[in-house]
Amino acid sequence: MTRDITTRILHADRLGPVEHGAVLKPLHIATAYGYGTAEELTAVFQGQQSGHVYGRQGNPTTAALETKISLMEDAVGTVCFATGMAAICSTMMALLKQGDHVVASQYLFGNTASWMNTLTQLGCEVSLVDATDAANVRQALRPNTRMVFVETVANPRTQVADLAGIGKLCTEREVLYIVDSTMSTPALFQPKAVGASLVLHSLSKSICGHGNALGGSISDTGLFDWSKYPHLLPAYRKGPAPGWGLLQIRKKGLRDMGATLSSEHGHRIAAGAETLPLRMARACDNARALAQWLQAQPLVSKVHYPGLASHAQHARAKELFKDFGALLAFETVEGVDPFDVLNALELVIKSSHLGDNRTLAIPVARTIFWEMGAEQRESMDIADSLIRVSVGIEAQADLLDDFKQAFEKLSRK
Ligand SMILES: *Cc1c(COP(=O)(O)O)cnc(C)c1O
């Protein structure tokens, strides 16, 4: 019997050994772990006995969060990192070599797009394609393609990748398929259902939700046959093959690169995760209502939200996701400065973060997508007037009222 996701999250900490009867995993801050005998210490070091040795590679609090994320994603294992970007970079550095080829969506989180540039400097080839159609990914595949990387719902324009089509293709070609599911969260979607090999999260966003911790994670769905992956070191080809990839990511990516999640942040993320499905349900309701309201405004030219029938991938989103998410973006008509819209909002906070309990909005082209320049913005379909809204869990009437008063102010101008 598979229990509901909230039930699984809430009771995850008592699946393993329970300390002092604690109903949740305590916060462990020790840097190092000591053992009674040299034999025991050696056994933990060599992986013959479970345990922790040094905090850079993990601690009991982070391990409990990793278990929680594995349960949410129906994964065989998870490794946490200090941030979502650390999870992305460390995973790729642990698995790629010079001369490898990566296919990624051209609609990527800005810093991930920037990281793809760095990868090319390190001697990897990167093809950025329109991943809303798996045919584009198929065309880009080469004999040296090691991985395909996509986001479920692209930030900020909300394009929905052809997740199932790409999954089928990667399975056929035995190519590693990495899905950044930050925007969907396990409350709405499990990438394992479409054949993802690895699932990535920025835990800083909705999974934490309270805007008080940074973190990232990579989970192995168990679907990829690591015995076919050419760059796994013999030291990590130990035990059953489903564990090999993650072991190399933990050793080469986490231990050697050192972007470790602090246990305090892990503890806060774990607390936030307990209410993820509740918060997402409310935020999705708010986002849908706001998207519909914005669509009817004469000063708004376009609204991008997968829950709207006008969205290019609405049918796909409906089929794949439990709900349409908490992120939307809109463009203003000629002559309406997006700064005036933002400055007229009183409740909504002007901020670059997303997936927060509070509603946050940002003018995209002049902030988070500024550094990449006009040409790349155009290729990513980022209009100059685009405003991204990360919808929170405020009472819906208060949120809509704030937008109403803002647009009233603007139309009086
Ligand atoms: C925020 C974000 C990241 C990076 O996560 P950080 O925790 O901020 O490093 C990666 N992917 C997506 C889709 C994001 O929204």
Side-chain angles (χ1 to χ4, degrees):
M1 186 186 66
T2 312
R3 292 188 168 124
D4 165 81
I5 179 170
T6 298
T7 313
R8 277 183 278 152
I9 299 169
L10 288 174
H11 293 273
D13 287 349
R14 289 171 72 90
L15 293 175
V18 174
E19 300 167 46
H20 308 290
V23 297
L24 57 82
K25 191 68 177 176
L27 171 58
H28 288 272
I29 57 170
T31 306
Y33 298 80
Y35 295 88
T37 64
E39 286 79 2
E40 241 187 305
L41 175 65
T42 307
V44 174
F45 245 93
Q46 296 185 1
Q48 290 134 3
Q49 184 183 318
S50 70
H52 298 278
V53 288
Y54 184 64
R56 186 168 5 88
Q57 287 180 70
N59 61 71
T61 306
T62 305
L65 176 63
E66 289 172 347
T67 301
K68 214 165 267 184
I69 297 165
S70 294
L71 282 169
M72 292 195 263
E73 289 295 358
D74 191 22
V76 295
T78 296
V79 180
C80 282
F81 293 89
T83 63
M85 284 318 302
I88 294 173
C89 300
S90 305
T91 297
M92 293 196 182
M93 294 289 277
L95 295 178
L96 293 172
K97 273 190 180 167
Q98 190 177 4
D100 284 345
H101 177 238
V102 175
V103 179
S105 167
Q106 74 194 38
Y107 309 119
L108 285 176
F109 173 67
N111 299 157
T112 309
S114 173
W115 161 250
M116 292 294 168
N117 285 337
T118 309
L119 258 190
T120 64
Q121 304 242 304
L122 296 173
C124 291
E125 300 171 292
V126 178
S127 301
L128 298 177
V129 302
D130 178 353
T132 59
D133 185 350
N136 298 326
V137 176
R138 183 184 295 273
Q139 265 181 7
L141 290 180
R142 300 177 195 164
N144 60 335
T145 306
R146 292 282 161 255
M147 59 177 69
V148 174
F149 183 96
V150 301
E151 295 171 6
T152 51
V153 179
N155 158 18
R157 264 276 279 101
T158 74
Q159 296 96 334
V160 181
D162 186 356
L163 293 160
I166 298 169
K168 202 160 157 267
L169 176 67
C170 289
T171 307
E172 266 167 39
R173 302 288 189 92
E174 299 178 330
V175 172
L176 196 68
Y177 180 26
I178 308 185
V179 177
D180 180 339
S181 195
T182 301
M183 251 2 107
S184 307
T185 83
L188 307 185
F189 177 60
Q190 279 184 343
K192 186 177 180 177
V194 293
S197 322
L198 296 172
V199 181
L200 193 130
H201 285 291
S202 165
L203 304 172
S204 325
K205 312 288 170 57
S206 306
I207 290 184
C208 175
H210 296 68
N212 58 358
L214 294 166
S217 67
I218 189 98
S219 302
D220 187 336
T221 60
L223 297 178
F224 185 73
D225 181 0
W226 288 102
S227 69
K228 304 242 169 69
Y229 199 77
H231 309 330
L232 291 192
L233 297 162
Y236 308 132
R237 293 171 171 267
K238 283 194 294 203
W244 295 355
L246 219 51
L247 187 60
Q248 180 152 320
I249 291 169
R250 188 180 290 281
K251 300 288 185 180
K252 292 281 144 186
L254 181 65
R255 183 196 63 188
D256 295 2
M257 292 172 203
T260 308
L261 176 67
S262 94
S263 59
E264 289 192 40
H265 280 217
H267 200 254
R268 284 180 223 160
I269 291 164
E274 292 187 353
T275 54
L276 173 69
L278 286 173
R279 291 184 284 104
M280 283 309 285
R282 173 128 161 172
C284 290
D285 273 352
N286 282 351
R288 189 176 23 250
L290 180 60
Q292 280 163 356
W293 185 85
L294 284 168
Q295 211 178 20
Q297 300 313 305
L299 299 185
V300 172
S301 59
K302 278 187 198 160
V303 182
H304 307 287
Y305 183 63
L308 295 176
S310 57
H311 190 281
Q313 292 92 34
H314 173 64
R316 175 181 295 160
K318 197 168 169 182
E319 189 188 318
L320 291 175
F321 309 141
K322 202 168 163 202
D323 207 332
F324 299 101
L327 193 93
L328 63 85
F330 66 95
E331 296 166 31
T332 50
V333 295
E334 274 288 310
V336 174
D337 187 340
F339 278 27
D340 290 339
V341 178
L342 286 163
N343 291 335
L345 290 165
E346 290 170 4
L347 184 68
V348 173
I349 303 171
K350 287 152 278 286
S351 169
S352 71
H353 186 40
L354 60 88
D356 195 280
N357 285 337
R358 289 149 279 256
T359 299
L360 312 173
I362 189 163
V364 174
R366 280 180 269 180
T367 57
I368 44 177
F369 283 67
W370 174 249
E371 187 183 293
M372 64 178 52
E375 205 176 304
Q376 195 173 355
R377 277 200 297 277
E378 201 174 315
S379 80
M380 297 173 95
D381 216 357
I382 309 288
D384 285 345
S385 77
L386 193 74
I387 293 175
R388 182 187 78 187
V389 186
S390 168
V391 180
I393 59 169
E394 293 93 345
Q396 195 171 104
D398 292 334
L399 185 61
L400 291 178
D401 278 352
D402 195 34
F403 277 89
K404 278 177 200 161
Q405 66 78 26
F407 276 88
E408 270 161 27
K409 258 190 254 170
L410 284 177
S411 44
R412 280 199 301 272
K413 259 189 152 181

PDB file of all heavy atoms in Angstrom, residues 83-85 88 109 112 151 155 180 182-183 202 204-205 215 354, ligand 1:
ATOM      1  N   THR A  83      23.133  24.218  -2.232  1.00  0.00           N
ATOM      2  CA  THR A  83      22.152  24.983  -3.020  1.00  0.00           C
ATOM      3  C   THR A  83      21.730  24.129  -4.222  1.00  0.00           C
ATOM      4  O   THR A  83      22.354  23.096  -4.509  1.00  0.00           O
ATOM      5  CB  THR A  83      22.765  26.295  -3.592  1.00  0.00           C
ATOM      6  OG1 THR A  83      23.829  25.939  -4.490  1.00  0.00           O
ATOM      7  CG2 THR A  83      23.292  27.219  -2.517  1.00  0.00           C
ATOM      8  N   GLY A  84      20.728  24.608  -4.932  1.00  0.00           N
ATOM      9  CA  GLY A  84      20.325  23.927  -6.158  1.00  0.00           C
ATOM     10  C   GLY A  84      21.432  23.978  -7.200  1.00  0.00           C
ATOM     11  O   GLY A  84      21.710  22.981  -7.886  1.00  0.00           O
ATOM     12  N   MET A  85      22.090  25.136  -7.309  1.00  0.00           N
ATOM     13  CA  MET A  85      23.186  25.254  -8.280  1.00  0.00           C
ATOM     14  C   MET A  85      24.326  24.295  -7.937  1.00  0.00           C
ATOM     15  O   MET A  85      24.953  23.722  -8.829  1.00  0.00           O
ATOM     16  CB  MET A  85      23.709  26.697  -8.359  1.00  0.00           C
ATOM     17  CG  MET A  85      22.820  27.673  -9.124  1.00  0.00           C
ATOM     18  SD  MET A  85      22.105  27.054 -10.659  1.00  0.00           S
ATOM     19  CE  MET A  85      23.543  26.599 -11.606  1.00  0.00           C
ATOM     20  N   ILE A  88      23.454  20.946  -9.238  1.00  0.00           N
ATOM     21  CA  ILE A  88      23.608  20.856 -10.692  1.00  0.00           C
ATOM     22  C   ILE A  88      25.097  20.731 -11.070  1.00  0.00           C
ATOM     23  O   ILE A  88      25.505  19.802 -11.774  1.00  0.00           O
ATOM     24  CB  ILE A  88      22.978  22.089 -11.391  1.00  0.00           C
ATOM     25  CG1 ILE A  88      21.460  22.087 -11.195  1.00  0.00           C
ATOM     26  CG2 ILE A  88      23.334  22.128 -12.882  1.00  0.00           C
ATOM     27  CD1 ILE A  88      20.751  23.331 -11.697  1.00  0.00           C
ATOM     28  N   PHE A 109      16.589  28.026 -16.229  1.00  0.00           N
ATOM     29  CA  PHE A 109      16.867  28.948 -15.123  1.00  0.00           C
ATOM     30  C   PHE A 109      18.169  29.686 -15.459  1.00  0.00           C
ATOM     31  O   PHE A 109      19.126  29.053 -15.924  1.00  0.00           O
ATOM     32  CB  PHE A 109      16.980  28.108 -13.843  1.00  0.00           C
ATOM     33  CG  PHE A 109      17.419  28.871 -12.640  1.00  0.00           C
ATOM     34  CD1 PHE A 109      16.609  29.855 -12.085  1.00  0.00           C
ATOM     35  CD2 PHE A 109      18.637  28.602 -12.033  1.00  0.00           C
ATOM     36  CE1 PHE A 109      17.013  30.545 -10.960  1.00  0.00           C
ATOM     37  CE2 PHE A 109      19.045  29.291 -10.907  1.00  0.00           C
ATOM     38  CZ  PHE A 109      18.238  30.269 -10.374  1.00  0.00           C
ATOM     39  N   THR A 112      21.554  28.339 -14.415  1.00  0.00           N
ATOM     40  CA  THR A 112      21.844  27.043 -15.053  1.00  0.00           C
ATOM     41  C   THR A 112      22.319  27.297 -16.481  1.00  0.00           C
ATOM     42  O   THR A 112      23.274  26.660 -16.951  1.00  0.00           O
ATOM     43  CB  THR A 112      20.602  26.134 -15.051  1.00  0.00           C
ATOM     44  OG1 THR A 112      20.085  26.074 -13.727  1.00  0.00           O
ATOM     45  CG2 THR A 112      20.944  24.728 -15.516  1.00  0.00           C
ATOM     46  N   GLU A 151      14.102  21.263 -17.542  1.00  0.00           N
ATOM     47  CA  GLU A 151      13.272  21.654 -16.404  1.00  0.00           C
ATOM     48  C   GLU A 151      11.836  21.273 -16.731  1.00  0.00           C
ATOM     49  O   GLU A 151      11.442  21.316 -17.896  1.00  0.00           O
ATOM     50  CB  GLU A 151      13.379  23.171 -16.169  1.00  0.00           C
ATOM     51  CG  GLU A 151      14.780  23.577 -15.751  1.00  0.00           C
ATOM     52  CD  GLU A 151      14.982  25.096 -15.712  1.00  0.00           C
ATOM     53  OE1 GLU A 151      14.013  25.848 -15.895  1.00  0.00           O
ATOM     54  OE2 GLU A 151      16.135  25.499 -15.500  1.00  0.00           O
ATOM     55  N   ASN A 155      11.287  28.383 -15.976  1.00  0.00           N
ATOM     56  CA  ASN A 155      11.232  29.630 -15.251  1.00  0.00           C
ATOM     57  C   ASN A 155      11.938  30.670 -16.136  1.00  0.00           C
ATOM     58  O   ASN A 155      13.075  30.411 -16.542  1.00  0.00           O
ATOM     59  CB  ASN A 155      11.981  29.411 -13.926  1.00  0.00           C
ATOM     60  CG  ASN A 155      12.473  30.673 -13.272  1.00  0.00           C
ATOM     61  OD1 ASN A 155      12.029  31.760 -13.574  1.00  0.00           O
ATOM     62  ND2 ASN A 155      13.417  30.509 -12.352  1.00  0.00           N
ATOM     63  N   ASP A 180      15.120  18.768 -13.797  1.00  0.00           N
ATOM     64  CA  ASP A 180      15.046  19.752 -12.713  1.00  0.00           C
ATOM     65  C   ASP A 180      13.558  19.999 -12.468  1.00  0.00           C
ATOM     66  O   ASP A 180      12.880  20.647 -13.263  1.00  0.00           O
ATOM     67  CB  ASP A 180      15.775  21.034 -13.144  1.00  0.00           C
ATOM     68  CG  ASP A 180      15.737  22.124 -12.067  1.00  0.00           C
ATOM     69  OD1 ASP A 180      14.851  22.074 -11.192  1.00  0.00           O
ATOM     70  OD2 ASP A 180      16.587  23.031 -12.126  1.00  0.00           O
ATOM     71  N   THR A 182      12.193  21.510  -9.825  1.00  0.00           N
ATOM     72  CA  THR A 182      11.999  22.562  -8.813  1.00  0.00           C
ATOM     73  C   THR A 182      10.629  23.220  -8.942  1.00  0.00           C
ATOM     74  O   THR A 182       9.937  23.446  -7.956  1.00  0.00           O
ATOM     75  CB  THR A 182      13.098  23.645  -8.969  1.00  0.00           C
ATOM     76  OG1 THR A 182      14.371  23.016  -8.807  1.00  0.00           O
ATOM     77  CG2 THR A 182      12.939  24.759  -7.954  1.00  0.00           C
ATOM     78  N   MET A 183      10.236  23.511 -10.182  1.00  0.00           N
ATOM     79  CA  MET A 183       8.995  24.245 -10.400  1.00  0.00           C
ATOM     80  C   MET A 183       7.759  23.400 -10.114  1.00  0.00           C
ATOM     81  O   MET A 183       6.720  23.924  -9.747  1.00  0.00           O
ATOM     82  CB  MET A 183       8.941  24.662 -11.870  1.00  0.00           C
ATOM     83  CG  MET A 183       9.113  26.089 -12.198  1.00  0.00           C
ATOM     84  SD  MET A 183       9.418  27.190 -10.903  1.00  0.00           S
ATOM     85  CE  MET A 183      11.078  27.494 -11.215  1.00  0.00           C
ATOM     86  N   SER A 202      15.944  22.472  -6.441  1.00  0.00           N
ATOM     87  CA  SER A 202      16.427  23.535  -5.574  1.00  0.00           C
ATOM     88  C   SER A 202      15.508  23.462  -4.367  1.00  0.00           C
ATOM     89  O   SER A 202      14.315  23.777  -4.454  1.00  0.00           O
ATOM     90  CB  SER A 202      16.313  24.896  -6.246  1.00  0.00           C
ATOM     91  OG  SER A 202      16.457  25.890  -5.236  1.00  0.00           O
ATOM     92  N   SER A 204      15.705  25.317  -1.926  1.00  0.00           N
ATOM     93  CA  SER A 204      15.516  26.692  -1.456  1.00  0.00           C
ATOM     94  C   SER A 204      14.131  27.225  -1.806  1.00  0.00           C
ATOM     95  O   SER A 204      13.678  28.207  -1.234  1.00  0.00           O
ATOM     96  CB  SER A 204      16.548  27.621  -2.107  1.00  0.00           C
ATOM     97  OG  SER A 204      17.784  26.975  -2.301  1.00  0.00           O
ATOM     98  N   LYS A 205      13.494  26.598  -2.785  1.00  0.00           N
ATOM     99  CA  LYS A 205      12.225  27.111  -3.292  1.00  0.00           C
ATOM    100  C   LYS A 205      11.047  26.476  -2.544  1.00  0.00           C
ATOM    101  O   LYS A 205      11.035  26.506  -1.326  1.00  0.00           O
ATOM    102  CB  LYS A 205      12.150  26.870  -4.803  1.00  0.00           C
ATOM    103  CG  LYS A 205      13.402  27.306  -5.564  1.00  0.00           C
ATOM    104  CD  LYS A 205      13.552  28.821  -5.653  1.00  0.00           C
ATOM    105  CE  LYS A 205      14.909  29.258  -6.189  1.00  0.00           C
ATOM    106  NZ  LYS A 205      15.263  28.722  -7.489  1.00  0.00           N
ATOM    107  N   GLY A 215      19.249  25.126  -0.301  1.00  0.00           N
ATOM    108  CA  GLY A 215      19.619  23.717  -0.426  1.00  0.00           C
ATOM    109  C   GLY A 215      19.315  23.189  -1.801  1.00  0.00           C
ATOM    110  O   GLY A 215      18.588  23.822  -2.586  1.00  0.00           O
ATOM    111  N   LEU A 354      11.714  32.642  -5.526  1.00  0.00           N
ATOM    112  CA  LEU A 354      10.419  32.065  -5.908  1.00  0.00           C
ATOM    113  C   LEU A 354      10.140  30.854  -5.033  1.00  0.00           C
ATOM    114  O   LEU A 354      11.008  30.348  -4.329  1.00  0.00           O
ATOM    115  CB  LEU A 354      10.386  31.717  -7.392  1.00  0.00           C
ATOM    116  CG  LEU A 354      11.403  30.713  -7.952  1.00  0.00           C
ATOM    117  CD1 LEU A 354      10.900  29.292  -7.836  1.00  0.00           C
ATOM    118  CD2 LEU A 354      11.674  31.037  -9.402  1.00  0.00           C
TER     119      LEU A 354
HETATM  120  C1  LIG B   1      16.427  28.431  -8.091  1.00  0.00           C
HETATM  121  C2  LIG B   1      16.585  27.388  -9.098  1.00  0.00           C
HETATM  122  C3  LIG B   1      17.767  26.666  -9.204  1.00  0.00           C
HETATM  123  C4  LIG B   1      18.975  26.968  -8.344  1.00  0.00           C
HETATM  124  O1  LIG B   1      18.709  26.745  -6.995  1.00  0.00           O
HETATM  125  P1  LIG B   1      19.469  27.547  -5.814  1.00  0.00           P
HETATM  126  O2  LIG B   1      19.035  26.801  -4.606  1.00  0.00           O
HETATM  127  O3  LIG B   1      19.002  28.954  -5.849  1.00  0.00           O
HETATM  128  O4  LIG B   1      20.924  27.429  -6.096  1.00  0.00           O
HETATM  129  C5  LIG B   1      17.841  25.668 -10.155  1.00  0.00           C
HETATM  130  N1  LIG B   1      16.812  25.384 -10.955  1.00  0.00           N
HETATM  131  C6  LIG B   1      15.643  26.066 -10.886  1.00  0.00           C
HETATM  132  C7  LIG B   1      14.542  25.693 -11.807  1.00  0.00           C
HETATM  133  C8  LIG B   1      15.496  27.079  -9.955  1.00  0.00           C
HETATM  134  O5  LIG B   1      14.339  27.766  -9.901  1.00  0.00           O
END
